[in-house]
């Protein structure tokens, strides 16, 4: 009789254990195993595109012997951030230069220029200058230097 009782208790224990195993969600068992030596991929954030439309003018920095116009490989397409551009991407003297795409809205021509300076120009409310470009960059956009001002779209590159 004791043996029958032990067999009944063992059977009952196995049935309860099976019921618990079947009742518990098995989500943990379906997850893929990760290699502990390989770093897990982090989600990649999409960069925010900074862009603005405004006026571009030109300036010749070779006249004041600016550092970016000197040496064996001077920068041909340089730019100075105007007040409107500094609102979307700050630039101060001594900061690392960054690249921008400048597109002539009138004819669609575009160039890539390095923002290496900032202009102290003061714009009127709602009519601020976006960027000062080198003479080479200004003419590459298909604009005569005599014109002096052109509407452009500037996109900051990451």
């Amino acid at each position: 009789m004791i043996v029958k009782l032990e067999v009944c208790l063992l059977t009952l224990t196995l049935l309860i254990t099976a019921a618990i195993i079947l009742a518990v969600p098995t989500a943990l068992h379906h997850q893929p195993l990760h290699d502990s030596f390989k770093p897990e991929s982090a989600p990649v954030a999409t960069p925010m595109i900074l862009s603005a439309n405004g006026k571009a003018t030109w300036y010749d920095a070779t006249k004041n012997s600016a550092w970016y116009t000197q040496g064996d490989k001077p920068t041909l397409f340089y730019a100075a951030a105007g007040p409107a551009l500094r609102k979307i991407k700050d630039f101060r003297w001594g900061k690392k230069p960054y690249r921008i795409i400048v597109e002539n809205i009138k004819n669609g021509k575009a160039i890539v220029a390095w923002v290496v300076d900032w202009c102290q120009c003061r714009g009127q409310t709602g009519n601020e200058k976006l960027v000062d470009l080198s003479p080479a960059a200004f003419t590459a956009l298909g604009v005569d230097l005599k014109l002096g001002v052109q509407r452009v779209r500037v996109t900051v590159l990451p």
Side-chain angles (χ1 to χ4, degrees):
M1 180 131 166
I2 296 178
V3 173
K4 274 186 162 183
L5 188 60
E6 287 178 358
V7 170
C8 286
L9 284 175
L10 181 62
T11 306
L12 185 60
T13 305
L14 289 174
L15 287 174
I16 293 173
T17 305
I20 291 173
I21 290 173
L22 293 175
V24 173
T26 58
L28 296 176
H29 300 291
H30 294 298
Q31 289 181 347
L33 298 175
H34 295 288
D35 186 358
S36 61
F37 295 105
K38 186 169 116 181
E40 298 202 15
S41 59
V44 178
T46 55
M48 188 170 63
I49 297 175
L50 304 174
S51 184
N53 293 351
K55 293 181 181 180
T57 57
W58 66 274
Y59 78 110
D60 190 0
T62 59
K63 296 188 188 274
N64 63 0
S65 300
W67 65 268
Y68 44 88
T69 63
Q70 306 298 311
D72 295 338
K73 295 181 181 179
T75 305
L76 293 178
F77 291 176
Y78 55 85
L85 181 56
R86 289 195 306 268
K87 284 182 182 177
I88 63 170
K89 173 81 174 177
D90 189 30
F91 184 84
R92 293 192 182 116
W93 184 250
K95 285 186 103 177
K96 183 179 176 184
Y98 60 91
R99 295 177 305 150
I100 56 173
I101 298 173
V102 183
E103 180 186 356
N104 184 338
I105 293 175
K106 191 173 185 179
N107 63 18
K109 290 185 179 183
I111 56 113
V112 175
W114 282 94
V115 176
V116 293
D117 203 354
W118 66 289
C119 67
Q120 296 180 3
C121 51
R122 304 287 184 257
Q124 302 163 353
T125 305
N127 191 19
E128 292 185 349
K129 188 188 303 184
L130 190 57
V131 68
D132 273 342
L133 297 171
S134 68
F138 201 73
T139 55
L141 290 174
V143 185
D144 186 12
L145 292 179
K146 292 177 186 174
L147 185 59
V149 179
Q150 180 62 45
R151 300 251 334 131
V152 295
R153 176 178 298 110
V154 172
T155 305
V156 178
L157 291 173

